[in-house]
């Protein structure tokens, strides 16, 4: 998949706290190309006030906002017209609820991370052990219809709302894979996303630990600490942290993870529209003693994953192996509105611990190890006989022990 491909990213902050999501949702009705089409004028004006007078990180024309609303008739149409920013968007009450559920990692659905790729709802990755993965859905599959509703011009919020639902209810997806189009019937389940699904000693002789981290939710830090404690008890002398395909999550979770390893340096910097930088300082208490470490990254590592990998690289605590990360360096905040809906607004940029602006660029690995899309998919699904990126990580750590 080309890095030039347009992938809509979702980044939120809950109740005026900052949260980061790589543009995926892990997955009520479609009622328009841009939004619900039933927003009140009061909500429209409330959105304009938030965007124009207080929060958006670039200058905004009130006239362009109003022209956008007159032209499209919806708030999201207005925002797209005036801002050209996929991260600033309006969510109806159901989409807002879905997003809040995503941060906890528990929801009813089919277990897909989806994004907007080339203007189509696209599977970014199926979550292991979920109905979507068992149905054979793959990264790159285009979801062209959900229960017969065409997804052309459908927003990500709408698509996720349609795919979410109570356990034991049914859903039909129309999938395009290359030149082939076919139907997939799936029964929803309660999805309980574990941020650290796997950890183990991968090299008994050198006592090299391995931790896979697939998201950054409210539970991630505690799961990581438990995994590291168990690996330490087994004599861990070096660590591989696998952030491949990790689309991000809450900023607070990312900062806790960074603070577990980094001391004596900022965890990251937030930068406002005037260029003023605010550091998030690390704490010494509880910081782990450094051991040889490799972080695995790829183009699916984004946002919170980039904060962590960037901080570890900038402070010389880890060698990064794999391919360039996605490049998500903007921060949004979420503002609940009076009618029960919500607005996410791009307010700031962030820079890594070492002051690097990675937005649109990504983080380059210290050691590049390319794999094909087919190899990448097999590695993600645990079906690969050989993982060249993991093998390179082991080689690096063995040389340091």
């Amino acid at each position: 998949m080309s890095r030039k491909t347009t992938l809509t990213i979702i980044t939120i902050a809950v109740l005026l706290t900052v949260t980061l999501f790589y543009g995926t949702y892990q997955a009520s009705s479609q009622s328009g190309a841009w939004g619900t089409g039933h927003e009140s004028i009061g909500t429209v004006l409330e959105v304009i006030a938030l965007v124009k007078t207080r929060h958006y990180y670039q200058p905004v024309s009130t006239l362009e906002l109003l022209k956008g609303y007159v032209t499209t008739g919806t708030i999201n149409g207005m925002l797209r017209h005036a801002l050209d920013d996929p991260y600033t968007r309006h969510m109806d009450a159901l989409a807002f609820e879905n997003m809040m559920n995503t941060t906890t990692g528990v929801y009813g659905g089919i277990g897909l991370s989806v994004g907007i790729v080339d203007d189509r709802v696209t599977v970014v990755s199926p979550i292991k052990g979920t109905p979507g993965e068992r149905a054979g859905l793959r990264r790159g599959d285009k979801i062209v219809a959900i229960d017969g509703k065409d997804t052309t011009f459908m927003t990500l919020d709408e698509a996720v709302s349609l795919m979410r639902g109570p356990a034991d209810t049914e859903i039909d997806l129309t999938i395009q894979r290359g030149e082939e189009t076919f139907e997939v019937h799936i029964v929803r389940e309660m999805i309980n996303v574990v941020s650290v699904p796997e950890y183990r000693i991968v090299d008994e002789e050198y006592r090299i630990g391995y931790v896979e981290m697939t998201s950054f939710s409210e539970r991630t830090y505690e799961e990581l600490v438990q995994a590291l404690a168990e690996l330490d008890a087994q004599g861990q002398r070096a660590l591989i942290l696998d952030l491949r395909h990790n689309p991000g999550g809450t900023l607070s979770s990312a900062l806790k993870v960074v603070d577990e390893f980094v001391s004596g340096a900022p965890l990251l910097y937030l930068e406002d529209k005037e260029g003023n930088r605010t550091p998030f300082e690390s704490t010494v208490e509880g910081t782990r003693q450094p051991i040889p470490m490799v972080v695995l990254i790829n183009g699916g590592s984004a946002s919170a994953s980039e904060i962590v990998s960037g901080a570890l690289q900038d402070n010389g605590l880890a060698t990064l192996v794999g391919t360039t990360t996605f490049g998500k360096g903007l921060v949004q905040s979420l503002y609940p509105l009076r009618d029960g809906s919500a607005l996410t607004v791009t307010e700031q940029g962030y820079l890594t611990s070492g002051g690097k602006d990675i937005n649109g660029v990504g983080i380059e690995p210290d050691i590049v190890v390319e794999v094909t899309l087919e190899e990448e998919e097999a590695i993600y699904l645990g079906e690969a006989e050989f993982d060249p990126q993991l093998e390179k990580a082991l080689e690096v750590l063995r040389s340091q022990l």
Side-chain angles (χ1 to χ4, degrees):
M1 186 180 298
S2 169
R3 286 186 55 77
K4 295 181 180 179
T5 299
T6 301
L7 174 58
T8 296
I9 313 174
I10 308 293
T11 303
I12 65 170
V14 178
L15 299 177
L16 310 189
T17 63
V18 182
T19 335
L20 297 173
F21 264 100
Y22 157 58
T24 56
Y25 261 122
Q26 297 164 341
S28 121
S29 61
Q30 180 189 13
S31 51
W34 295 103
T36 66
H38 301 290
E39 302 115 349
S40 70
I41 292 300
T43 302
V44 174
L45 295 176
E46 191 176 1
V47 168
I48 291 174
L50 283 170
V51 171
K52 171 63 181 173
T53 63
R54 295 180 59 189
H55 300 292
Y56 192 64
Y57 79 122
Q58 292 179 346
V60 182
S61 166
T62 302
L63 179 59
E64 287 301 311
L65 286 167
L66 292 171
K67 285 171 60 178
Y69 186 74
V70 170
T71 300
T72 66
T74 67
I75 292 174
N76 278 324
M78 172 183 74
L79 296 172
R80 178 73 69 88
H81 173 88
L83 306 182
D84 191 28
D85 174 12
Y87 314 138
T88 296
R89 76 199 196 287
H90 177 247
M91 294 177 289
D92 63 21
L94 180 58
F96 181 24
E97 180 182 359
N98 283 333
M99 177 170 282
M100 297 296 287
N101 288 339
T102 298
T103 67
T104 67
V106 181
Y107 57 88
I110 59 177
L112 297 179
S113 287
V114 295
I116 302 296
V117 179
D118 296 333
D119 297 324
R120 297 305 299 263
V121 178
T122 304
V123 177
V124 174
S125 61
I127 300 171
K128 296 177 184 178
T130 63
E133 191 240 319
R134 293 196 299 270
L137 296 175
R138 305 176 184 172
R139 177 181 178 183
D141 284 348
K142 306 291 186 184
I143 303 175
V144 298
I146 303 170
D147 280 337
K149 296 180 176 66
D150 189 349
T151 63
T152 304
F153 302 120
M154 187 180 287
T155 68
L156 202 57
D157 296 319
E158 290 172 318
V160 170
S161 294
L162 289 171
M163 287 187 282
R164 292 273 178 90
D168 299 323
T169 58
E170 300 177 349
I171 183 173
D172 292 299
L173 303 181
T174 304
I175 302 296
Q176 181 181 340
R177 181 180 298 163
E179 300 299 319
E180 180 186 9
T181 300
F182 54 94
E183 301 292 322
V184 177
H185 181 78
I186 305 177
V187 178
R188 297 181 180 92
E189 296 177 0
M190 286 304 298
I191 308 299
N192 189 345
V193 180
V194 178
S195 298
V196 182
E198 182 178 1
Y199 58 91
R200 67 187 192 277
I201 297 293
V202 289
D203 187 310
E204 294 289 345
E205 179 181 356
Y206 287 87
R207 310 308 296 172
I208 299 174
Y210 169 88
V211 174
E212 180 186 20
M213 187 180 296
T214 58
S215 64
F216 287 84
S217 71
E218 295 173 1
R219 303 179 301 178
T220 300
Y221 176 70
E222 287 71 21
E223 292 177 13
L224 174 65
V225 168
Q226 178 182 350
L228 292 175
E230 294 189 23
L231 293 173
D232 289 341
Q234 297 175 48
Q236 172 179 243
R237 297 173 59 214
L239 173 64
I240 297 170
L241 181 61
D242 193 346
L243 295 180
R244 292 176 294 182
H245 305 286
N246 186 321
T250 65
L251 177 60
S252 61
S253 174
L255 293 176
K256 287 180 181 179
V257 170
V258 174
D259 205 24
E260 183 74 5
F261 299 98
V262 174
S263 65
L267 305 178
L268 86 163
Y269 296 88
L270 293 181
E271 186 174 68
D272 64 21
K273 57 187 175 183
E274 281 81 34
N276 300 312
R277 295 183 181 181
T278 302
F280 278 73
E281 299 292 347
S282 59
T283 59
V284 175
E285 184 179 357
T287 302
R288 291 177 59 84
Q289 289 297 315
I291 59 175
M293 187 173 178
V294 167
V295 179
L296 296 176
I297 55 173
N298 66 6
S301 308
S303 198
S305 292
E306 293 173 300
I307 290 173
V308 172
S309 56
L312 295 174
Q313 183 186 55
D314 290 348
N315 290 283
L317 295 171
T319 300
L320 271 52
V321 172
T323 56
T324 304
T325 62
F326 186 83
K328 176 65 174 64
L330 298 176
V331 177
Q332 283 72 45
S333 292
L334 180 73
Y335 293 91
L337 305 178
R338 285 190 289 269
D339 67 351
S341 63
L343 178 74
T344 67
V345 183
T346 300
E347 289 190 330
Q348 296 170 302
Y350 74 81
L351 298 92
T352 65
S353 175
K356 297 176 184 175
D357 182 359
I358 56 91
N359 191 53
V361 177
I363 297 174
E364 295 286 341
D366 299 298
I367 301 174
V368 176
V369 180
E370 299 278 359
V371 295
T372 66
L373 185 60
E374 291 74 19
E375 289 174 321
E376 187 175 79
E377 180 181 341
I379 291 168
Y380 175 77
L381 295 176
E383 300 171 353
E385 296 181 2
F386 180 72
D387 182 343
Q389 294 169 336
L390 178 59
E391 288 302 317
K392 175 56 71 172
L394 289 168
E395 177 187 323
V396 169
L397 292 177
R398 287 167 186 152
S399 71
Q400 298 176 11
L401 291 171

